[in-house]
């Protein structure tokens, strides 16, 4: 761990070899701009957050509005992977308490899925703000989603450019398109922020702020956790403890899968968010010295108690090839509790079933970790994001891999481009 902490510091200082691949660690600066390595970057981060606030304020007040109405009512976010999972998780976790604007997502190139979203929006398309998110600005799925939505705008006689913004790398195809078509505005996606760690950049903060979620609290929670997880004393550092549990559960080889069960409906998508964060960061063929290691931790999960009625049978009695993460939330609801039996509430059941399941697994020598949080608030969500970012980074150093690149995902994108190119040539030939 001493080595891991030293590596973390070196990495942030840009002192590690292979700077291009490791620059993505810069996402830490977003949650604590005091850490930015120079004044220009610090200014850039502060200005981006101000730009988000002032844009959101203008949208909510109606200073920025669609041509046909005085206010926008809905947000349609188009993006995939790192440009979708964070905003989806945060919306699921926090939008119920922040209903400024309703949010919808297109995160695939499935035509029927796109139709479903457009049908749900119906006439509200005329008051929908479209947020196209793509770091590279060239990923086919969001490109297709955007084209389909543009088509729907045209069919309804609406002007897409007056209702769209882009969050993308400066100079990307998307950036150029948005600027040439005169979209409302664009927000930068810095090249030193990786997709899966971009939730606390414009990628996650713009959709969150539009819904009315308190992004300051999110950033504050992340900053506090960032500070807490820099402490080089293992026992007082929650991210180090997490990484340590993962390490020992899987013999340092990722031999066990991580099953994540938040006992709270609103944290359902946290499991999916972690799937990408952990698997894309740690699933690596080679270590930092070039040795073939085939590292990684598979993640799956959904929510409790729902999944107790699905695969807990396997977890308790089947192959012990996993460790479980229970996420317990102490506050059960905002309204007054109703007794479902004398002196017993639904929340008592939720907590009792978590404890019972954990005990049953323990009795059969199945490993589990329990993460307890007081309630699901923007601050807590920011802290969770920062906690797992740091735990993944520290684990990566423990097993000597680069957690900040994704050659496997990029290989898949290249292979798909070849297949699609062949397909379009076949189609052309058939047409002729
Ligand atoms: O983490 C990643 O790199 C991927 O999941 C990307 O976020 C995803 O492929 C989308 O890429 P982009 O934002 O460039 O459209």
């Amino acid at each position: 761990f001493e080595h891991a902490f030293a590596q973390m510091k070196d990495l942030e200082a840009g002192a590690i070899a292979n700077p291009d691949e490791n620059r993505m660690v810069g996402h830490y600066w977003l949650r604590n701009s005091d850490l930015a390595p120079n004044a220009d970057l610090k200014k850039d981060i502060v200005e981006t957050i101000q730009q988000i606030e002032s844009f959101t304020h203008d949208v909510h007040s109606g200073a920025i509005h669609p041509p046909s109405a005085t206010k926008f009512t809905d947000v349609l976010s188009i993006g995939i992977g790192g440009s979708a999972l964070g905003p989806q998780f945060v919306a699921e976790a926090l939008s119920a308490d922040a209903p400024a604007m309703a949010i919808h997502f297109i995160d695939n190139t499935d035509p029927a899925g796109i139709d479903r979203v457009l049908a749900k929006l119906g006439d509200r398309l005329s008051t929908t703000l479209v947020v196209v998110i793509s770091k590279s600005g060239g990923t086919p799925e969001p490109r297709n989603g955007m084209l389909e939505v543009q088509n729907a705008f045209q069919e309804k006689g609406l002007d897409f450019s007056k209702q769209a913004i882009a969050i993308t790398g400066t100079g990307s195809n998307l950036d150029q398109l948005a600027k040439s078509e005169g979209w409302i505005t664009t927000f930068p996606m810095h090249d030193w922020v990786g997709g899966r760690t971009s939730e606390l950049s414009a990628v996650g903060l713009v959709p969150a702020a539009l819904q009315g979620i308190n992004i300051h609290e999110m950033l504050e929670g992340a900053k506090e956790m960032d500070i807490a997880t820099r402490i080089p004393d293992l026992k007082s550092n929650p991210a180090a403890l997490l990484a340590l549990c993962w390490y020992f559960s899987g013999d340092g080889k990722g031999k066990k899968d991580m099953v994540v069960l938040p006992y709270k409906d609103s944290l359902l998508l946290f499991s999916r968010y972690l799937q990408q964060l952990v698997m894309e960061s740690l699933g690596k063929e080679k270590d930092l010295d070039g040795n073939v290691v085939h590292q990684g931790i598979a993640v799956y999960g959904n929510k409790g108690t729902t999944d107790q009625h699905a695969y807990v049978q396997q977890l308790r009695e089947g192959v012990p090839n996993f460790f479980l993460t229970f996420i317990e939330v102490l506050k059960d609801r905002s309204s007054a509790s109703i007794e479902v039996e004398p002196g017993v509430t639904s929340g008592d059941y939720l907590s009792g079933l978590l404890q019972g399941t954990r005990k049953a697994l323990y009795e059969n020598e199945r490993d589990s970790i329990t993460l307890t949080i007081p309630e699901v608030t923007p601050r807590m969500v920011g802290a969770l994001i920062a906690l797992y970012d740091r735990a993944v980074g520290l684990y990566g150093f423990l097993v000597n891999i680069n957690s900040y690149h994704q050659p496997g995902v990029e290989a898949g994108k290249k292979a798909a481009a070849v297949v699609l190119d062949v397909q379009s040539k076949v189609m052309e030939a058939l047409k002729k």
Side-chain angles (χ1 to χ4, degrees), residues 4 7 16 31 50 57 68 80 85 89 141 157 192 208 226 239 253 274 283 308 324 331 333 352 401:
Q7 293 252 57
I16 263 183
R31 63 197 58 153
Q50 282 166 353
H57 176 267
S68 63
I80 195 165
L85 288 158
F89 148 50
E141 294 92 335
W192 38 263
D226 191 86
K253 294 273 168 221
L274 286 185
Q308 284 185 210
L324 220 140
K331 181 171 177 179
R333 68 177 358 148
I401 56 160

Side-chain angles (χ1 to χ4, degrees), residues 80-83 85 133-139 142 189 194-196 276 280 406 409-410 413:
I80 195 165
S83 295
L85 288 158
I133 311 178
S134 176
K135 179 176 171 179
S136 60
T139 310
M189 190 165 176
R196 59 188 170 277
Q276 182 196 31
E280 208 171 78
Q406 56 285 328
V409 172
E410 274 138 32
K413 284 185 183 177

Side-chain angles (χ1 to χ4, degrees), residues 83 132-139 166-179 186-193 201-203:
S83 295
V132 186
I133 311 178
S134 176
K135 179 176 171 179
S136 60
T139 310
I167 303 173
T168 186
T170 310
S172 73
N173 286 347
L174 175 59
D175 190 41
Q176 291 177 36
L177 180 81
K179 286 181 176 140
T186 59
F187 289 89
M189 190 165 176
H190 300 98
D191 60 356
W192 38 263
V193 180
S201 72
V203 170

Side-chain angles (χ1 to χ4, degrees), residues 18 20-25 27 80-83 135-136 139 189-198 275-286 288 295 392 401-415:
N18 210 359
D20 286 341
E21 288 182 346
N22 283 316
R23 285 168 70 206
M24 292 191 181
V25 79
H27 64 272
I80 195 165
S83 295
K135 179 176 171 179
S136 60
T139 310
M189 190 165 176
H190 300 98
D191 60 356
W192 38 263
V193 180
R196 59 188 170 277
T197 54
S198 63
Q275 217 161 33
Q276 182 196 31
L277 178 69
V278 175
M279 292 172 80
E280 208 171 78
S281 303
L282 303 180
K284 299 291 156 69
E285 182 176 26
K286 292 189 180 156
L288 283 168
Q295 266 289 345
V392 162
I401 56 160
N402 179 354
S403 326
Y404 300 102
H405 66 355
Q406 56 285 328
V409 172
E410 274 138 32
K413 284 185 183 177
K414 278 187 201 139

